[in-house]
Amino acid sequence: MNVKKEIARRRTFGIVSHPDAGKTTLTEKLLLFGGAIQEAGAVKSNKIKKGATSDFMEIERQRGISVATSVLAFEYNGIKINILDTPGHKDFAEDTFRTLTAVDSVIVVIDVAKGVEEQTEKLVEVCRMRNIPMIVFVNKLDREGKDAFELLDEIEEKLHLKVTPLSFPIGMGYDFKGIYNIWEKNVNIFSGDSRKNIEETVEISDLSDSVLDELVGDKAADTLREEVELVQGVYPAFDNQAYLDGKLQPVFFGSALNNFGVRELLDCFVKIAPTPRPKKSEERLVHPDEKDFSGFVFKIHANMDPKHRDRLAFIKIVSGVFERNKPYLHVRNKKNLKFSSPNAFFAERKEIVDISYPGDIVGLHDTGNFKIGDTLTSGEELHYKGIPAFSPEHFRYINNADPMKSKQLAKGIDQLMDEGVAQLFTLELNGRKVIGTVGALQYEVIQYRLEHEYGAKCTYEPLSVTKACWVEPEDPKSEEFKEFLRVKQRFMAKDKRGQLVFLADSPFTLQMTQQKYPSIKMHFVSEFKD
């Protein structure tokens, strides 16, 4: 069992973008090249009723959006690739932030017509903070869009990235002729026929070659020569180390829907993307090639199969190897656990694996032991960090609409909250349950899943709260803290882990409270610490 060799052939990355930029379509096409699927189901096309492979929740199929982060793995040219397809919709941003703790690199998808959008800015900022290596893919080139240089400027300015194009479009929209691959020095001609799975490429080592004129016509050929000269004059040459350090971002152009420019992206990605990287724990930096196993839970998904009430905890392996039926220490619970059927994924298909290596994502069947951020190890007490919960922006009371099903409702809420879909607050005064979410769409998802997966119905009631603040008193026995609890008792709640939370009904109230009780700290982020 050559562990170093296995680590060296793994690439684990996430795809991030604004909704509708074509992220799920790109994921599908990558799977197509890996031979993992035979036909791609376009997410939005009504002609294909198949639905995208990576969207497995009914509500995702109805809306054509990705709600849950799915994990897909495939082999390509001897390299094992793990993709985490994240939700682009901003109502599910928390899920995406958590997923970014489990990837070694990222592909950022940008729509050629819309350019850089708000959600992309936020996600790229998180990647920049962590120095995650990024490759940019400019998508939908067969549609009318912004000029390539204009887009490159926008990416540099809005996302604060330093880019270098590794492929360049020949024309755009109606005049789109193909792509010149700067990385491999060849031309890929666009036929406009998306049924052809993989396009032919023509090797052109010298752009002054007259073959180029024959392929795309004199005018387009001359324009391309000028543009590539400009690219080489303006942008830095590709430097692998600068890319790995998060200081240089290569850019590719293509059309995922037409399967165009995707192979170029994949071939380059396989060569330059980082193998599994070391990860910081509170105790020390952990390297992938250490012999002892360690990993952390970055996502929990309830009811992967509605017929069997099962929860799956997704674990990213950081170091050592994970073996089936071997006992591992659950650090928070201080218990040893054994797993008889760890899963590796391929969208709707799961396979049981005997052994997994650093960089892999394993799904463990869970009866309620795991919370997001938990660590599993061979015995060492490690705590991986960097999975916070943010203060929600929307708050509603949740009520039971069917008194006969209160047990199912309680169980459903409990499991969905563990999954990190939303946050649950229980009021101290009367025990009423309040659900806080980042976006309003999550309420629909919760209602839908409670009914379809747990057989429970709920209704919501508005609640005027603007922020949830985690409360930290300097001295829990002080008179000031006692007075604060007495005066604010209507607004005090506990979160799912029993931490005290103050629900402020307006920014003004919050400001006044902070002035009146200076010894009490208010936090907008609950670090995942027990």
Side-chain angles (χ1 to χ4, degrees), residues 476-516:
K477 295 196 172 76
S478 68
E479 286 306 313
E480 187 178 315
F481 186 53
K482 283 178 190 157
E483 188 198 335
F484 164 76
L485 290 179
R486 195 183 72 247
V487 174
K488 299 291 178 190
Q489 62 175 342
R490 281 183 44 231
F491 304 101
M492 300 313 293
K494 289 262 174 78
D495 72 3
K496 201 160 186 295
R497 296 207 318 285
Q499 285 170 298
L500 195 61
V501 178
F502 168 56
L503 302 176
D505 60 356
S506 71
F508 176 71
T509 306
L510 182 58
Q511 201 183 340
M512 295 308 289
T513 307
Q514 282 170 314
Q515 282 170 8
K516 195 173 170 193

Side-chain angles (χ1 to χ4, degrees), residues 12-290:
T12 303
F13 72 100
I15 301 186
V16 300
S17 81
H18 197 81
D20 270 356
K23 189 162 41 81
T24 306
T25 313
L26 177 64
T27 308
E28 290 265 303
K29 293 301 155 71
L30 293 172
L31 292 174
L32 205 59
F33 279 106
I37 50 174
Q38 264 52 60
E39 58 169 314
V43 192
K44 286 275 189 319
S45 150
N46 296 327
K47 292 196 282 292
I48 307 176
K49 280 283 179 265
K50 214 174 131 278
T53 309
S54 62
D55 291 351
F56 55 72
M57 261 163 61
E58 191 53 43
I59 199 161
E60 302 186 50
R61 292 206 180 98
Q62 288 170 4
R63 296 243 177 166
I65 56 167
S66 300
V67 174
T69 304
S70 39
V71 182
L72 308 152
F74 65 95
E75 296 260 344
Y76 181 73
N77 292 350
I79 298 288
K80 164 100 190 282
I81 297 178
N82 297 307
I83 307 182
L84 300 179
D85 176 26
T86 60
H89 203 288
K90 73 169 186 298
D91 286 7
F92 302 95
E94 267 200 59
D95 204 17
T96 307
F97 290 142
R98 283 196 291 261
T99 302
L100 290 176
T101 59
V103 300
D104 298 308
S105 68
V106 158
I107 291 179
V108 181
V109 183
I110 287 174
D111 181 320
V112 71
K114 295 177 185 155
V116 174
E117 296 172 271
E118 164 208 26
Q119 190 57 22
T120 320
E121 289 183 52
K122 281 189 194 157
L123 294 166
V124 168
E125 198 180 329
V126 175
C127 298
R128 266 207 339 270
M129 273 168 19
R130 301 211 167 106
N131 293 329
I132 299 176
M134 285 179 260
I135 294 179
V136 178
F137 181 70
V138 177
N139 192 17
K140 307 192 181 179
L141 281 204
D142 51 322
R143 300 189 184 174
E144 292 301 321
K146 301 185 181 189
D147 169 71
F149 286 105
E150 193 189 329
L151 269 168
L152 291 166
D153 286 348
E154 193 178 314
I155 292 167
E156 291 208 313
E157 277 166 34
K158 283 194 175 172
L159 300 178
H160 311 289
L161 301 179
K162 191 175 176 187
V163 299
T164 178
L166 291 189
S167 75
F168 207 79
I170 307 169
M172 192 79 85
Y174 294 117
D175 307 325
F176 182 52
K177 300 273 196 305
I179 284 170
Y180 175 61
N181 186 343
I182 299 172
W183 168 254
E184 287 175 0
K185 292 196 168 30
N186 59 29
V187 168
N188 192 343
I189 300 301
F190 180 60
S191 65
D193 178 6
S194 59
R195 287 191 300 276
K196 269 176 69 176
N197 275 350
I198 293 163
E199 306 286 337
E200 299 300 309
T201 53
V202 181
E203 198 117 339
I204 295 185
S205 49
D206 180 5
L207 278 181
S208 57
D209 195 330
S210 60
V211 177
L212 182 63
D213 301 79
E214 290 163 28
L215 285 172
V216 298
D218 299 352
K219 191 176 157 213
D222 287 341
T223 309
L224 178 69
R225 290 182 184 116
E226 282 166 28
E227 291 183 332
V228 170
E229 197 178 325
L230 193 57
V231 164
Q232 286 161 345
V234 173
Y235 296 99
F238 176 69
D239 171 341
N240 206 51
Q241 198 48 51
Y243 155 72
L244 291 174
D245 295 341
K247 296 192 172 82
L248 183 68
Q249 286 76 26
V251 179
F252 283 88
F253 290 85
S255 161
L257 190 65
N258 292 300
N259 209 354
F260 198 80
V262 178
R263 191 190 56 80
E264 287 79 348
L265 171 73
L266 186 57
D267 285 347
C268 175
F269 172 82
V270 164
K271 289 197 182 79
I272 68 172
T275 54
R277 304 166 83 191
K279 187 163 173 69
K280 272 199 175 84
S281 69
E282 282 170 26
E283 292 74 14
R284 60 187 185 84
L285 188 66
V286 181
H287 292 272
D289 54 5
E290 293 181 16

Side-chain angles (χ1 to χ4, degrees), residues 393-399 423 425-427 430 432-436 443 460-468 490-493 503-506:
E393 288 167 27
H394 302 261
F395 297 84
R396 292 183 193 173
Y397 286 119
I398 181 164
N399 299 322
Q423 293 179 55
F425 302 102
T426 308
L427 290 179
N430 53 15
R432 281 195 78 179
K433 294 196 173 353
V434 172
I435 285 186
Y443 289 110
Y460 297 115
E461 212 178 301
L463 172 70
S464 61
V465 170
T466 55
K467 270 276 185 241
R490 281 183 44 231
F491 304 101
M492 300 313 293
L503 302 176
D505 60 356
S506 71

